């Protein structure tokens, strides 16, 4: 079950969204609020997987909360749920997962949840936890997991995903969680082969099989294992240059 928090200063809108989320059978509502100050405290304590944010609040703007949430050690996925479409560009520059408009539509909500589940599916797997990784000159990464040393061929890695201050390494048949942060790994990877496409993802360009246009000039990358990786607007230009389109 995905764990969610809702921020909206309209009680009817909150109730409608709660009804659809609970009715999906996929979401547990951890809390709700109508002001940013309370929401920051609640989200820090409750640690939801995702936060639904209205943008136009009575005394503030939901975009400012999204910026504050980026500083948390465990940043939730952000979904803007609003009546205003003119903020879409700014929302996606904050790496929002989705942007849905009021009045809410059940089918649209389900698509949002499916997207988030695909992004978080690695967290539902039984991933061996490694203390650290060591890079070798022979094209392999040594993953130190428990008392074992697992040698991964760098070319076989599909992508890296940030997870709770650590990093998941995803291959075709296994996933490994390591203590290194994504920004640390990024500095050590071959930039001709690996590209950061989102604040939480670095992909192996050789394992992309399809580029799917999504929303407001953003994309999803379909990988060879069937998983999808989001591309935020910040990284679209570099991706296009490297892939020649």
């Amino acid at each position: 079950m995905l764990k969610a928090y809702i921020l909206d200063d309209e009680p009817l809108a909150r109730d409608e969204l709660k009804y659809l989320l609970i009715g999906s059978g996929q979401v547990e509502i951890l809390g709700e609020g109508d002001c940013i100050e309370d929401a920051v405290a609640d989200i820090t304590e409750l640690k939801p997987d995702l936060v639904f944010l209205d943008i136009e609040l009575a005394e503030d703007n939901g975009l400012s909360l999204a910026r504050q949430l980026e500083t948390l050690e465990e940043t939730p996925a952000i979904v803007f749920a609003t009546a205003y479409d003119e903020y879409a560009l700014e929302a996606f520059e904050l790496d929002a997962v989705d942007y849905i408009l009021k009045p809410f539509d059940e089918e649209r909500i389900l698509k949002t949840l499916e997207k988030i589940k695909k992004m978080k599916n690695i967290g539902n797997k039984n991933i061996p936890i490694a203390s650290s990784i060591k890079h070798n000159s022979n094209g392999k990464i040594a993953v130190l997991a428990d008392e074992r040393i697992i040698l991964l061929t760098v070319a076989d890695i599909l992508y890296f995903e940030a997870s709770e201050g650590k990093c998941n390494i995803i291959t075709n048949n296994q996933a490994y969680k390591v203590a290194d942060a994504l920004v640390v790994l990024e500095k050590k990877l071959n930039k001709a082969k690996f590209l950061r496409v989102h604040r939480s993802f670095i992909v192996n360009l050789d394992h992309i099989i399809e580029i799917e246009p999504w929303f407001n000039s953003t994309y999803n990358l379909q990988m060879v294992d069937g998983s999808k990786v989001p591309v935020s607007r910040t990284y679209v230009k570099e991706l296009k240059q490297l892939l020649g389109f």
Side-chain angles (χ1 to χ4, degrees):
M1 294 276 284
L2 294 167
K3 300 180 185 299
Y5 185 92
I6 300 172
L7 175 65
D8 196 314
D9 60 357
E10 299 177 20
L12 291 178
R14 288 203 308 272
D15 288 344
E16 179 187 11
L17 186 53
K18 280 193 299 183
Y19 174 81
L20 292 173
L21 292 173
I22 294 172
S24 74
Q26 302 176 50
V27 179
E28 175 187 355
I29 307 298
L30 295 186
E32 59 184 281
D34 58 7
C35 72
I36 286 180
E37 184 177 354
D38 290 342
V40 171
D42 289 344
I43 293 167
T44 302
E45 178 183 354
L46 297 172
K47 296 180 171 58
D49 299 311
L50 64 153
V51 175
F52 288 87
L53 290 180
D54 190 10
I55 290 184
E56 289 288 351
L57 302 170
E59 299 179 357
D60 216 323
N61 186 296
L63 295 168
S64 66
L65 175 58
R67 295 186 188 96
Q68 291 182 59
L69 296 182
E70 285 188 320
T71 67
L72 297 179
E73 183 176 344
E74 299 180 28
T75 305
I78 302 296
V79 176
F80 285 100
T82 178
Y84 304 92
D85 60 4
E86 64 264 34
Y87 295 103
L89 176 58
E90 190 171 356
F92 280 98
E93 289 185 347
L94 288 169
D95 286 336
V97 172
D98 211 344
Y99 191 102
I100 56 179
L101 294 174
K102 299 175 182 178
F104 303 124
D105 175 79
E106 181 178 10
E107 184 177 350
R108 183 67 180 84
I109 294 292
L110 291 175
K111 287 182 178 180
T112 296
L113 296 178
E114 184 62 26
K115 176 178 178 60
I116 293 169
K117 285 173 65 178
K118 286 178 179 178
M119 291 177 62
K120 295 183 69 64
N121 65 351
I122 298 305
N124 297 326
K125 297 179 181 178
N126 184 20
I127 303 177
I129 299 178
S131 58
S132 63
I133 67 172
K134 302 293 183 183
H135 294 254
N136 299 319
S137 59
N138 60 358
K140 292 184 180 294
I141 287 179
V143 177
L144 311 179
D146 299 325
E147 297 182 356
R148 299 176 299 150
I149 299 176
I150 302 168
L151 293 177
L152 302 178
T153 301
V154 175
D156 291 339
I157 295 172
L158 306 186
Y159 59 93
F160 298 85
E161 177 193 25
S163 174
E164 299 178 354
K166 299 179 175 60
C167 183
N168 295 325
I169 301 175
I170 314 303
T171 69
N172 241 327
N173 51 22
Q174 185 58 282
Y176 302 89
K177 181 173 287 187
V178 298
D180 306 67
L182 195 65
V183 66
V184 174
L185 291 175
E186 183 178 19
K187 295 176 182 177
K188 300 177 180 180
L189 295 169
N190 181 347
K191 297 190 184 309
K193 293 288 186 180
F194 288 91
L195 177 68
R196 182 186 281 266
V197 294
H198 188 279
R199 68 179 180 185
S200 297
F201 291 91
I202 296 174
V203 299
N204 185 336
L205 299 172
D206 289 339
H207 293 300
I208 300 171
I209 61 172
E210 185 176 330
I211 301 172
E212 173 187 284
W214 185 47
F215 185 91
N216 203 15
S217 300
T218 61
Y219 296 88
N220 285 321
L221 305 177
Q222 184 170 338
M223 310 304 290
V224 294
D225 66 340
S227 61
K228 291 188 178 182
V229 174
V231 182
S232 64
R233 286 182 57 87
T234 305
Y235 303 100
V236 166
K237 182 178 179 181
E238 188 175 359
L239 176 69
K240 286 184 174 182
Q241 288 175 342
L242 283 173
L243 297 181
F245 75 98

